[in-house]
Amino acid sequence: MSTPSDLKYTKEHEWVKDNGDGTATIGITEFAQGELGDIVFVELEEPGFDFSQDDVFGTVEAVKTVSELFAPVDGEVVELNEELEDNPELVNDDPYGDGWMIKIKLSDASQLDSLLSADEYNELTS
């Protein structure tokens, strides 16, 4: 799977999609889910949770390890992917689609400009 060019990325392997309406969708990358292996549980902060860039907004539990999820930008959780409660493997199967994790209301959309492009992320992970 190639790294989608319409997303922004972090060095901690989260991706962000600007939804164009003051909100953004966040998940983990194909690389991250591959490194983690089979994901068995995802725990995410509830809607209404406010966070700053680099705060922890949840955890992903795989067979061998637990990994924290770091907020790529400031925001407030407005929706979480409830499908992951019963089907955490969606993160392995479709990390950029059905495996999305949270949607947030952006506090400062200009923070997106400081994130990595797909090319920069690919350089980091190659």
Side-chain angles (χ1 to χ4, degrees), residues 70-125:
F70 297 97
V73 293
D74 299 352
E76 176 189 336
V77 177
V78 293
E79 185 181 348
L80 54 98
N81 186 349
E82 295 183 5
E83 282 292 308
L84 298 181
E85 195 171 316
D86 295 327
N87 301 301
E89 67 277 359
L90 287 172
V91 177
N92 292 120
D93 297 341
D94 191 10
Y96 300 115
D98 291 339
W100 66 274
M101 295 188 171
I102 60 172
K103 291 186 180 173
I104 64 165
K105 182 169 68 180
L106 292 164
S107 297
D108 180 0
S110 71
Q111 287 181 316
L112 295 170
D113 297 335
S114 68
L115 301 176
L116 302 173
S117 69
D119 287 343
E120 291 166 329
Y121 182 74
N122 285 335
E123 280 182 37
L124 178 74
T125 57

